[in-house]
Amino acid sequence: MDPLYDALPPDDAEQVQRFSRLMYESREHRRTVLEAFGANSPEALLARIKAAEVAEHPAYEHYLAARILGDTHEIARTEVARILQEVNAR
């Protein structure tokens, strides 16, 4: 395990490490999905779909995937913050 987690209790360190990995993977996959359509955000991709700059199919599915990946990233961040707050309160 990365030395960054040495100050945390083992169970908490494991959880933080898993959520950190999820944060990284969801962020990178979201970026990859959006780049495939020349967009830097789900909103930008949706705008390109509405303007008929890209084909609705499969772009809309990619838009939904980017939204889900963004939500997953935020949930993981929230969980890391919650765990660290609990550890600091002990």
Side-chain angles (χ1 to χ4, degrees):
M1 190 171 295
D2 193 303
L4 172 72
Y5 305 107
D6 288 346
L8 298 173
D11 290 341
D12 294 321
E14 185 178 328
Q15 280 188 314
V16 169
Q17 185 177 32
R18 281 193 311 238
F19 281 122
S20 295
R21 183 71 183 169
L22 180 59
M23 287 167 48
Y24 170 77
E25 289 177 355
S26 60
R27 183 186 69 235
E28 292 303 306
H29 290 306
R30 179 179 179 264
R31 184 183 52 77
T32 300
V33 165
L34 291 170
E35 282 180 352
F37 290 92
N40 59 5
S41 71
E43 296 77 17
L45 177 54
L46 186 58
R48 294 195 70 208
I49 295 167
K50 288 179 180 179
E53 294 175 10
V54 294
E56 184 176 336
H57 177 75
Y60 191 73
E61 287 81 0
H62 283 78
Y63 161 75
L64 294 175
R67 292 283 310 268
I68 291 167
L69 288 164
D71 291 348
T72 300
H73 178 82
E74 286 306 311
I75 290 167
R77 282 184 57 161
T78 300
E79 284 301 304
V80 168
R82 181 192 59 77
I83 293 166
L84 294 177
Q85 187 174 32
E86 284 180 7
V87 167
N88 288 330
R90 292 182 198 155

